[in-house]
Amino acid sequence: MKAGLSSELLLKAAQLHNTPLYVYDQQCIQSQYQQLQTAFAAFQPSLFYACKALSNVNILRIMHQLGAGIDCVSLNEVRLSMTAGVPADKIIFTPNSVGMDEYVEAVALGVNINIDNLSILRDFGKQFGKTYPVLVRINPHILAGGNIKISTGHEDSKFGISVTQVDAIKAVVAETGLVVKGLHIHTGSEIKDIDVYIKGLELVLATAQQFDGLEIIDLGGGFKVPYVPGEKGTDLLALGERMASVFNQHKQATGANYTIWFEPGKFLVSDCGYLLVKANVIKEAPSRTFVGVDSGFNHLIRPMFYEAYHHIENISNPQGINKTYNVVGNICETDTFAWDRSLPEVRPGDVLVFRNAGAYGFEMSSRFNSRVRPAEVLIDNKEIKLIRRRETFEDLLQGQII
Ligand SMILES: *Cc1c(COP(=O)(O)O)cnc(C)c1O
């Protein structure tokens, strides 16, 4: 976890825009992007930001300005990216479980398309033949990543076409004339073990040899960032070195020279986001002390959904004596953010900060309990810019036929 934005600046943002509030650090995003570029400099991949992590148009614009493309899992993400000025050829559409209608629309928009099942591949081939080359998502049968809910490349995962079914992909190609321009794998999220990437890479390179005219190897995302103090993320420099040597060996052995794509989501934004909340209630129950805050799993679901750890700081009372708390939300459901967490004494009104809230934070928020979603601000060199206003009661009514 990085040192991050100063408490002074975060408190100022909370004063200006109230809590709960999502805060993002533009310079941090730039630095994360550069880290990837440096680590992979030997083979100069194209980076496509997986925008389901955080899709505010202002964030997409930053990514575009940095030179990144965008990986989208829905047509609306494609439209948001285009709103941010990203051209179609720098967008990948990687949906799953969607009908032909969405692929047809993606063709009309002119974006790169990544197909993850055989029946759509066949229908797509029949409709578009060789006129619209696509990428194919392979399921490598590798179990990797953090919580099982974020593992996507194992045998029982719904994602991708099994690596054992490559012959069926080739049959579609032979039958319809479809052109496979690239192969894609995305094995999961929070992958620390470099061997997992190398295994996936070797497998996808071996599979790539079975296709003529293949240009792109898309290795997905999943780079881990530390959440717990002292924890380590993916060792990117070591990963970059090992990948470069695998590519070189492959090139020497086969003459193939692929363009490499990555789709980092969490790595680019997780560390760069903060959720600021206010302590409303300190409840001394017989067995433990609760801090009740003005937010809940409607705003940050990761602790309840993935048992994720989010570091919490009390920036209003950093010198206070440490006490042990359960930090809970204000939703009528159990929504514990942290169990038995040691924090400088929390007083009503104190501002607490959840770290690593940039990825899958606001983006997974909801209006459960008819509470509105927080505002979002972007900090650019100490300048605090509102990039999404707080929702209101009127927003709740919008769309309802009354
Ligand atoms: C979610 C996703 C990613 C990004 O994963 P991170 O763990 O956030 O890096 C990349 N590619 C695809 C296809 C995804 O679905």
Short mmCIF file of all heavy atoms in Angstrom, two decimals, residues 48-53 71-73 94 96 114 137 150 152 159 184-186 188-191 197 218-224 262-268 359-360, ligand 1:
data_model
loop_
_atom_site.label_atom_id
_atom_site.label_comp_id
_atom_site.label_asym_id
_atom_site.label_seq_id
_atom_site.Cartn_x
_atom_site.Cartn_y
_atom_site.Cartn_z
N PHE A 48 -4.84 -2.19 -22.20
CA PHE A 48 -6.27 -1.85 -22.27
C PHE A 48 -6.80 -1.87 -20.84
O PHE A 48 -6.83 -2.93 -20.22
CB PHE A 48 -7.03 -2.87 -23.13
CG PHE A 48 -6.65 -2.86 -24.58
CD1 PHE A 48 -5.48 -3.49 -25.01
CD2 PHE A 48 -7.43 -2.21 -25.51
CE1 PHE A 48 -5.12 -3.47 -26.35
CE2 PHE A 48 -7.08 -2.19 -26.86
CZ PHE A 48 -5.93 -2.82 -27.27
N TYR A 49 -7.19 -0.72 -20.35
CA TYR A 49 -7.71 -0.63 -18.97
C TYR A 49 -9.06 -1.35 -18.88
O TYR A 49 -9.99 -1.02 -19.64
CB TYR A 49 -7.84 0.84 -18.60
CG TYR A 49 -8.66 1.11 -17.36
CD1 TYR A 49 -8.33 0.53 -16.14
CD2 TYR A 49 -9.77 1.96 -17.40
CE1 TYR A 49 -9.09 0.78 -15.00
CE2 TYR A 49 -10.52 2.23 -16.26
CZ TYR A 49 -10.18 1.62 -15.07
OH TYR A 49 -10.93 1.87 -13.95
N ALA A 50 -9.17 -2.33 -17.99
CA ALA A 50 -10.44 -3.05 -17.80
C ALA A 50 -11.36 -2.16 -16.97
O ALA A 50 -11.27 -2.09 -15.75
CB ALA A 50 -10.19 -4.38 -17.09
N CYS A 51 -12.25 -1.47 -17.66
CA CYS A 51 -12.93 -0.35 -17.01
C CYS A 51 -14.08 -0.77 -16.10
O CYS A 51 -14.68 0.09 -15.47
CB CYS A 51 -13.39 0.68 -18.05
SG CYS A 51 -14.84 0.19 -18.97
N LYS A 52 -14.34 -2.06 -15.98
CA LYS A 52 -15.35 -2.44 -15.00
C LYS A 52 -14.86 -2.17 -13.58
O LYS A 52 -15.64 -2.16 -12.64
CB LYS A 52 -15.78 -3.89 -15.16
CG LYS A 52 -14.76 -4.91 -14.72
CD LYS A 52 -15.38 -6.31 -14.78
CE LYS A 52 -14.48 -7.37 -14.20
NZ LYS A 52 -13.30 -7.65 -15.02
N ALA A 53 -13.56 -1.93 -13.42
CA ALA A 53 -13.02 -1.58 -12.10
C ALA A 53 -13.51 -0.21 -11.64
O ALA A 53 -13.80 0.00 -10.46
CB ALA A 53 -11.50 -1.63 -12.12
N ASP A 71 -10.75 -2.02 -22.09
CA ASP A 71 -11.41 -3.32 -22.18
C ASP A 71 -12.80 -3.20 -21.57
O ASP A 71 -12.94 -2.77 -20.42
CB ASP A 71 -10.59 -4.38 -21.44
CG ASP A 71 -11.26 -5.75 -21.49
OD1 ASP A 71 -11.50 -6.24 -22.60
OD2 ASP A 71 -11.55 -6.31 -20.42
N CYS A 72 -13.81 -3.56 -22.35
CA CYS A 72 -15.20 -3.37 -21.93
C CYS A 72 -15.94 -4.70 -21.87
O CYS A 72 -15.80 -5.52 -22.78
CB CYS A 72 -15.92 -2.45 -22.92
SG CYS A 72 -15.16 -0.83 -23.06
N VAL A 73 -16.77 -4.87 -20.86
CA VAL A 73 -17.54 -6.10 -20.76
C VAL A 73 -19.02 -5.88 -21.09
O VAL A 73 -19.81 -6.82 -21.04
CB VAL A 73 -17.40 -6.74 -19.35
CG1 VAL A 73 -15.97 -7.22 -19.14
CG2 VAL A 73 -17.79 -5.77 -18.26
N THR A 94 -15.39 -7.54 -24.50
CA THR A 94 -15.20 -8.90 -23.96
C THR A 94 -16.39 -9.31 -23.11
O THR A 94 -16.27 -9.40 -21.89
CB THR A 94 -13.91 -8.94 -23.08
OG1 THR A 94 -12.82 -8.40 -23.82
CG2 THR A 94 -13.55 -10.36 -22.66
N ASN A 96 -19.64 -11.78 -21.77
CA ASN A 96 -19.95 -13.21 -21.69
C ASN A 96 -21.45 -13.35 -21.46
O ASN A 96 -22.08 -12.47 -20.88
CB ASN A 96 -19.14 -13.89 -20.58
CG ASN A 96 -19.61 -13.54 -19.20
OD1 ASN A 96 -20.47 -14.21 -18.63
ND2 ASN A 96 -19.08 -12.44 -18.66
N ASN A 114 -14.11 -9.98 -28.64
CA ASN A 114 -13.50 -11.15 -28.02
C ASN A 114 -14.63 -12.13 -27.71
O ASN A 114 -15.49 -11.82 -26.90
CB ASN A 114 -12.82 -10.65 -26.73
CG ASN A 114 -11.86 -11.64 -26.15
OD1 ASN A 114 -11.83 -12.80 -26.55
ND2 ASN A 114 -11.09 -11.17 -25.20
N ARG A 137 -11.58 -16.07 -26.61
CA ARG A 137 -11.16 -16.24 -25.22
C ARG A 137 -11.04 -17.72 -24.88
O ARG A 137 -12.00 -18.47 -25.01
CB ARG A 137 -12.17 -15.57 -24.28
CG ARG A 137 -11.80 -15.75 -22.82
CD ARG A 137 -12.66 -14.90 -21.92
NE ARG A 137 -12.19 -14.97 -20.55
CZ ARG A 137 -12.60 -14.17 -19.57
NH1 ARG A 137 -13.49 -13.23 -19.84
NH2 ARG A 137 -12.13 -14.29 -18.35
N ILE A 150 -13.32 -14.62 -7.76
CA ILE A 150 -12.60 -13.82 -8.74
C ILE A 150 -11.63 -14.66 -9.56
O ILE A 150 -10.77 -14.15 -10.26
CB ILE A 150 -11.88 -12.59 -8.11
CG1 ILE A 150 -10.97 -13.01 -6.97
CG2 ILE A 150 -12.90 -11.57 -7.63
CD1 ILE A 150 -10.16 -11.85 -6.38
N THR A 152 -11.21 -16.95 -12.73
CA THR A 152 -12.02 -17.06 -13.95
C THR A 152 -11.45 -18.04 -14.96
O THR A 152 -12.07 -18.29 -15.99
CB THR A 152 -12.10 -15.68 -14.64
OG1 THR A 152 -10.77 -15.19 -14.82
CG2 THR A 152 -12.89 -14.71 -13.82
N PHE A 159 -16.14 -18.84 -17.88
CA PHE A 159 -15.50 -17.96 -18.87
C PHE A 159 -14.68 -18.72 -19.90
O PHE A 159 -13.96 -19.66 -19.57
CB PHE A 159 -14.58 -16.96 -18.15
CG PHE A 159 -15.31 -16.00 -17.26
CD1 PHE A 159 -15.34 -16.20 -15.89
CD2 PHE A 159 -15.99 -14.91 -17.80
CE1 PHE A 159 -16.02 -15.31 -15.06
CE2 PHE A 159 -16.67 -14.03 -16.98
CZ PHE A 159 -16.68 -14.24 -15.60
N HIS A 184 -7.08 -14.91 -26.31
CA HIS A 184 -7.17 -14.16 -25.06
C HIS A 184 -7.29 -15.12 -23.89
O HIS A 184 -8.00 -16.12 -23.98
CB HIS A 184 -8.41 -13.27 -25.13
CG HIS A 184 -8.84 -12.66 -23.83
ND1 HIS A 184 -9.74 -13.26 -22.99
CD2 HIS A 184 -8.48 -11.50 -23.23
CE1 HIS A 184 -9.93 -12.49 -21.92
NE2 HIS A 184 -9.17 -11.42 -22.04
N ILE A 185 -6.57 -14.83 -22.81
CA ILE A 185 -6.86 -15.49 -21.54
C ILE A 185 -6.91 -14.44 -20.44
O ILE A 185 -6.21 -13.43 -20.48
CB ILE A 185 -5.82 -16.58 -21.13
CG1 ILE A 185 -4.39 -16.04 -21.16
CG2 ILE A 185 -5.94 -17.83 -21.97
CD1 ILE A 185 -3.39 -16.98 -20.52
N HIS A 186 -7.79 -14.66 -19.48
CA HIS A 186 -7.80 -13.83 -18.27
C HIS A 186 -8.10 -14.81 -17.15
O HIS A 186 -9.20 -15.31 -17.02
CB HIS A 186 -8.88 -12.74 -18.36
CG HIS A 186 -9.08 -12.01 -17.07
ND1 HIS A 186 -8.10 -11.22 -16.51
CD2 HIS A 186 -10.13 -11.98 -16.22
CE1 HIS A 186 -8.56 -10.72 -15.37
NE2 HIS A 186 -9.78 -11.17 -15.17
N GLY A 188 -7.82 -14.63 -13.78
CA GLY A 188 -8.44 -14.27 -12.51
C GLY A 188 -7.89 -12.95 -12.02
O GLY A 188 -7.15 -12.28 -12.73
N SER A 189 -8.27 -12.60 -10.81
CA SER A 189 -7.83 -11.34 -10.24
C SER A 189 -6.94 -11.62 -9.03
O SER A 189 -7.06 -12.68 -8.40
CB SER A 189 -9.05 -10.53 -9.82
OG SER A 189 -8.70 -9.18 -9.65
N GLU A 190 -6.07 -10.68 -8.73
CA GLU A 190 -5.17 -10.79 -7.58
C GLU A 190 -4.24 -11.99 -7.70
O GLU A 190 -4.08 -12.78 -6.77
CB GLU A 190 -5.97 -10.87 -6.27
CG GLU A 190 -6.91 -9.69 -6.12
CD GLU A 190 -7.37 -9.46 -4.68
OE1 GLU A 190 -7.05 -10.30 -3.82
OE2 GLU A 190 -8.02 -8.44 -4.45
N ILE A 191 -3.62 -12.13 -8.88
CA ILE A 191 -2.68 -13.23 -9.09
C ILE A 191 -1.28 -12.77 -8.72
O ILE A 191 -0.71 -11.89 -9.36
CB ILE A 191 -2.70 -13.71 -10.56
CG1 ILE A 191 -4.14 -14.08 -10.95
CG2 ILE A 191 -1.76 -14.89 -10.74
CD1 ILE A 191 -4.30 -14.37 -12.42
N TYR A 197 1.11 -16.94 -14.51
CA TYR A 197 1.13 -16.18 -15.78
C TYR A 197 1.96 -16.91 -16.83
O TYR A 197 1.59 -16.95 -18.00
CB TYR A 197 1.72 -14.79 -15.55
CG TYR A 197 0.77 -13.82 -14.91
CD1 TYR A 197 0.83 -13.54 -13.56
CD2 TYR A 197 -0.22 -13.19 -15.67
CE1 TYR A 197 -0.05 -12.65 -12.98
CE2 TYR A 197 -1.10 -12.31 -15.10
CZ TYR A 197 -1.00 -12.03 -13.75
OH TYR A 197 -1.88 -11.16 -13.18
N ASP A 218 -3.57 -11.79 -26.10
CA ASP A 218 -4.11 -10.91 -25.06
C ASP A 218 -4.08 -11.68 -23.74
O ASP A 218 -4.76 -12.70 -23.59
CB ASP A 218 -5.55 -10.52 -25.45
CG ASP A 218 -6.20 -9.59 -24.44
OD1 ASP A 218 -5.70 -9.51 -23.30
OD2 ASP A 218 -7.22 -8.97 -24.78
N LEU A 219 -3.29 -11.18 -22.81
CA LEU A 219 -3.07 -11.93 -21.57
C LEU A 219 -3.93 -11.46 -20.40
O LEU A 219 -3.70 -11.84 -19.25
CB LEU A 219 -1.57 -11.87 -21.20
CG LEU A 219 -0.67 -12.56 -22.25
CD1 LEU A 219 0.79 -12.23 -22.01
CD2 LEU A 219 -0.89 -14.07 -22.24
N GLY A 220 -4.93 -10.62 -20.68
CA GLY A 220 -5.87 -10.24 -19.63
C GLY A 220 -5.24 -9.37 -18.55
O GLY A 220 -4.23 -8.70 -18.77
N GLY A 221 -5.86 -9.38 -17.37
CA GLY A 221 -5.35 -8.56 -16.26
C GLY A 221 -5.06 -9.44 -15.06
O GLY A 221 -4.55 -10.54 -15.21
N GLY A 222 -5.39 -8.94 -13.89
CA GLY A 222 -5.26 -9.76 -12.69
C GLY A 222 -4.05 -9.47 -11.83
O GLY A 222 -3.82 -10.18 -10.85
N PHE A 223 -3.28 -8.43 -12.16
CA PHE A 223 -2.10 -8.12 -11.33
C PHE A 223 -2.55 -7.72 -9.93
O PHE A 223 -3.48 -6.94 -9.77
CB PHE A 223 -1.28 -6.98 -11.95
CG PHE A 223 -0.95 -7.23 -13.38
CD1 PHE A 223 -1.39 -6.37 -14.37
CD2 PHE A 223 -0.21 -8.34 -13.75
CE1 PHE A 223 -1.10 -6.62 -15.71
CE2 PHE A 223 0.09 -8.60 -15.09
CZ PHE A 223 -0.36 -7.73 -16.07
N LYS A 224 -1.86 -8.28 -8.96
CA LYS A 224 -2.28 -8.04 -7.57
C LYS A 224 -1.61 -6.80 -7.01
O LYS A 224 -0.43 -6.57 -7.22
CB LYS A 224 -1.90 -9.25 -6.72
CG LYS A 224 -2.24 -9.05 -5.26
CD LYS A 224 -2.19 -10.30 -4.44
CE LYS A 224 -2.39 -9.97 -2.97
NZ LYS A 224 -3.53 -9.06 -2.73
N PHE A 262 -2.46 -6.45 -22.74
CA PHE A 262 -2.86 -6.74 -21.35
C PHE A 262 -4.11 -5.94 -21.04
O PHE A 262 -4.38 -4.90 -21.67
CB PHE A 262 -1.77 -6.30 -20.36
CG PHE A 262 -0.59 -7.23 -20.27
CD1 PHE A 262 0.64 -6.85 -20.80
CD2 PHE A 262 -0.70 -8.46 -19.64
CE1 PHE A 262 1.73 -7.70 -20.72
CE2 PHE A 262 0.40 -9.30 -19.55
CZ PHE A 262 1.62 -8.93 -20.09
N GLU A 263 -4.85 -6.40 -20.03
CA GLU A 263 -6.07 -5.71 -19.62
C GLU A 263 -6.09 -5.48 -18.10
O GLU A 263 -6.89 -6.08 -17.39
CB GLU A 263 -7.30 -6.55 -19.99
CG GLU A 263 -7.42 -6.89 -21.45
CD GLU A 263 -8.36 -8.06 -21.70
OE1 GLU A 263 -8.79 -8.70 -20.72
OE2 GLU A 263 -8.69 -8.30 -22.86
N PRO A 264 -5.19 -4.66 -17.60
CA PRO A 264 -5.17 -4.42 -16.15
C PRO A 264 -6.37 -3.57 -15.70
O PRO A 264 -6.70 -2.58 -16.35
CB PRO A 264 -3.87 -3.64 -15.95
CG PRO A 264 -3.64 -2.94 -17.25
CD PRO A 264 -4.18 -3.86 -18.31
N GLY A 265 -7.01 -3.98 -14.65
CA GLY A 265 -8.10 -3.19 -14.06
C GLY A 265 -7.65 -2.69 -12.70
O GLY A 265 -7.20 -1.55 -12.53
N LYS A 266 -7.74 -3.62 -11.75
CA LYS A 266 -7.42 -3.30 -10.36
C LYS A 266 -6.06 -2.61 -10.21
O LYS A 266 -5.93 -1.66 -9.45
CB LYS A 266 -7.43 -4.62 -9.57
CG LYS A 266 -7.25 -4.48 -8.11
CD LYS A 266 -7.48 -5.82 -7.42
CE LYS A 266 -8.96 -6.12 -7.32
NZ LYS A 266 -9.22 -7.41 -6.67
N PHE A 267 -5.05 -3.10 -10.92
CA PHE A 267 -3.71 -2.57 -10.73
C PHE A 267 -3.65 -1.06 -10.99
O PHE A 267 -2.93 -0.33 -10.32
CB PHE A 267 -2.69 -3.29 -11.63
CG PHE A 267 -1.29 -2.83 -11.39
CD1 PHE A 267 -0.53 -3.38 -10.36
CD2 PHE A 267 -0.72 -1.81 -12.15
CE1 PHE A 267 0.75 -2.92 -10.09
CE2 PHE A 267 0.56 -1.35 -11.89
CZ PHE A 267 1.30 -1.92 -10.86
N LEU A 268 -4.41 -0.59 -11.96
CA LEU A 268 -4.31 0.82 -12.34
C LEU A 268 -5.04 1.75 -11.38
O LEU A 268 -4.70 2.93 -11.28
CB LEU A 268 -4.84 1.03 -13.77
CG LEU A 268 -3.96 0.45 -14.88
CD1 LEU A 268 -4.63 0.63 -16.24
CD2 LEU A 268 -2.59 1.12 -14.88
N ALA A 359 -10.78 0.37 -7.11
CA ALA A 359 -11.26 -0.69 -8.01
C ALA A 359 -12.42 -1.44 -7.38
O ALA A 359 -12.33 -1.88 -6.24
CB ALA A 359 -10.13 -1.67 -8.33
N TYR A 360 -13.49 -1.61 -8.14
CA TYR A 360 -14.66 -2.36 -7.69
C TYR A 360 -15.25 -1.77 -6.41
O TYR A 360 -15.78 -2.49 -5.57
CB TYR A 360 -14.32 -3.86 -7.56
CG TYR A 360 -13.60 -4.39 -8.78
CD1 TYR A 360 -12.24 -4.72 -8.75
CD2 TYR A 360 -14.27 -4.50 -9.99
CE1 TYR A 360 -11.58 -5.16 -9.89
CE2 TYR A 360 -13.61 -4.95 -11.14
CZ TYR A 360 -12.27 -5.27 -11.08
OH TYR A 360 -11.61 -5.70 -12.21
C1 LIG B 1 -12.12 -8.00 -14.90
C2 LIG B 1 -11.33 -8.24 -16.11
C3 LIG B 1 -10.02 -7.77 -16.21
C4 LIG B 1 -9.33 -6.99 -15.10
O1 LIG B 1 -9.05 -7.76 -13.97
P1 LIG B 1 -8.24 -7.06 -12.77
O2 LIG B 1 -8.12 -8.13 -11.75
O3 LIG B 1 -9.07 -5.92 -12.30
O4 LIG B 1 -6.92 -6.64 -13.31
C5 LIG B 1 -9.34 -7.97 -17.39
N1 LIG B 1 -9.91 -8.64 -18.41
C6 LIG B 1 -11.17 -9.13 -18.35
C7 LIG B 1 -11.73 -9.83 -19.51
C8 LIG B 1 -11.91 -8.95 -17.20
O5 LIG B 1 -13.15 -9.45 -17.13
#
